[in-house]
Amino acid sequence: MEKLLSGKKILIMGVANKRSIAWGCAQSMLDNGAELIFTYQNERLKKSLLRLIPDEQRLIECDVASDSSIENAFNIIDQRFGKIDGIVHAIAYANKEELAGDIMNSSREGYALAQDISAFSLIAVAKYGVAILNNPASIVTLTYFGSERAIPNYNVMGVAKAALEANVRYLARDMAKYGVRVNAISAGAIKTLAVTGVKDHGDLLRLSEERTVDGKSVTTSEVGGAATFLVSDLATGVVGDTIYVDKGVHLI
Ligand SMILES: NC(=O)c1ccc[n+]([C@@H]2O[C@H](COP(=O)([O-])OP(=O)(O)OC[C@H]3O[C@@H](n4cnc5c(N)ncnc54)[C@H](O)[C@@H]3O)[C@@H](O)[C@H]2O)c1
């Protein structure tokens, strides 16, 4: 039987382990018939990814801090798989000391690093990715409500997420001529590796959980469902948007 993503090749960037939001996206897309390719940040994460996807051909190194690493990854994907239909960008990073206390104590370097890895990287991925994206295609990134509200300790990452959401709008405008839609999912707080970098993340997770409509955290599989929709042909009218998948936390 034809599935929602049958015949679509999707690149998943940002699986660190089975708790990763990117892994929730991958599972939902596999269930819906997609063929997947993955990038990993470094050799250490490759080992972790190999346990989930024991198919080395589909795993390609890509450190988004480096243009040449991104360009090289897309060249390899092109050679091995040809054109692709979508990219899930589920990548963010800030130094731990920037995710604690008052934002005025942020360092210039720490602020720039958070912007580089968490916001600029989407532009770089779009730039090198466009050559191997089909027309139509879809790019989805992951953001958080800390872009709009001053969430304790989230600091430079909140500012990077605000920039990321603006990047989505500008990229959506400029990539339309290539038939590429660009959108973001604003996911509710989920306990992943990335969240544990935020000081008092237990409070952040608890607060967020208490404010969901049913008192339970959103899951990576629920976020994956929305990502599946956004890369599918059901979402051709959704362009440059940020869709909340947080069980109502942003409303309450
Ligand atoms: N967990 C949450 O509560 C939550 C909520 C909303 C949005 N998000 C966002 O979801 C995305 C995925 O995070 P997650 O929570 O699944 O955590 P995660 O730690 O599982 O994933 C983060 C990924 O970013 C990758 N990464 C970091 N620096 C990189 C670099 N230089 N090059 C390539 N990859 C790099 C890591 O290798 C890792 O795979 C992030 O953008 C995060 O901000 C998370």
Side-chain angles (χ1 to χ4, degrees):
M1 202 186 78
E2 186 84 346
K3 292 186 175 177
L4 186 59
L5 300 184
S6 288
K8 288 203 190 289
K9 276 182 252 174
I10 310 290
L11 172 65
I12 308 278
M13 308 180 78
V15 179
N17 54 42
K18 65 178 182 347
R19 287 169 172 257
S20 295
I21 291 177
W23 184 239
C25 296
Q27 283 182 304
S28 172
M29 290 180 191
L30 281 172
D31 288 349
N32 283 286
E35 178 187 342
L36 301 183
I37 304 153
F38 296 83
T39 60
Y40 56 87
Q41 182 184 354
N42 53 38
E43 278 301 310
R44 187 174 56 80
L45 287 161
K46 180 183 183 182
K47 284 198 186 115
S48 164
L49 190 53
L50 261 173
R51 283 195 283 274
L52 299 172
I53 304 283
D55 179 355
E56 217 167 340
Q57 276 292 305
R58 295 195 174 270
L59 313 186
I60 293 139
E61 182 165 332
C62 180
D63 181 344
V64 298
S66 149
D67 280 343
S68 62
S69 178
I70 300 172
E71 188 174 20
N72 188 45
F74 280 104
N75 283 337
I76 294 172
I77 293 166
D78 191 17
Q79 284 156 21
R80 286 192 199 158
F81 303 98
K83 294 226 172 200
I84 62 173
D85 304 284
I87 301 173
V88 175
H89 169 279
I91 289 174
Y93 184 78
N95 289 329
K96 216 166 175 155
E97 57 270 25
E98 305 292 347
L99 301 173
D102 293 352
I103 196 166
M104 65 266 201
N105 294 328
S106 305
S107 70
R108 195 175 288 270
E109 297 73 26
Y111 182 98
L113 180 68
Q115 286 285 336
D116 186 22
I117 305 301
S118 316
F120 177 76
S121 68
L122 184 70
I123 294 180
V125 163
K127 176 180 170 183
Y128 294 107
V130 74
I132 68 156
L133 280 166
N134 272 320
N135 180 351
S138 169
I139 297 178
V140 179
T141 188
L142 270 301
T143 185
Y144 177 61
F145 193 44
S147 62
E148 298 168 61
R149 297 286 188 277
I151 305 283
N153 302 313
Y154 201 62
N155 301 352
V156 296
M157 190 55 80
V159 182
K161 291 302 192 191
L164 178 71
E165 289 167 28
N167 286 344
V168 164
R169 292 185 285 272
Y170 281 96
L171 284 169
R173 178 195 67 186
D174 292 346
M175 298 192 86
K177 56 182 167 292
Y178 306 109
V180 180
R181 292 182 297 107
V182 187
N183 290 289
I185 292 173
S186 185
I190 301 174
K191 191 165 182 193
T192 62
L193 205 60
V195 161
T196 59
V198 182
K199 184 170 180 264
D200 298 334
H201 57 271
D203 293 345
L204 188 149
L205 290 163
R206 207 165 25 252
L207 211 89
S208 178
E209 189 169 301
E210 281 166 6
R211 289 176 190 197
T212 59
V213 284
D214 62 0
K216 290 183 195 142
S217 284
V218 73
T219 63
T220 57
S221 104
E222 287 170 318
V223 178
T228 294
F229 161 70
L230 284 173
V231 300
S232 82
D233 295 337
L234 293 179
T236 51
V238 187
V239 174
D241 212 351
T242 295
I243 294 182
Y244 295 99
V245 184
D246 68 352
K247 286 187 160 180
V249 171
H250 71 286
L251 302 170
I252 298 167

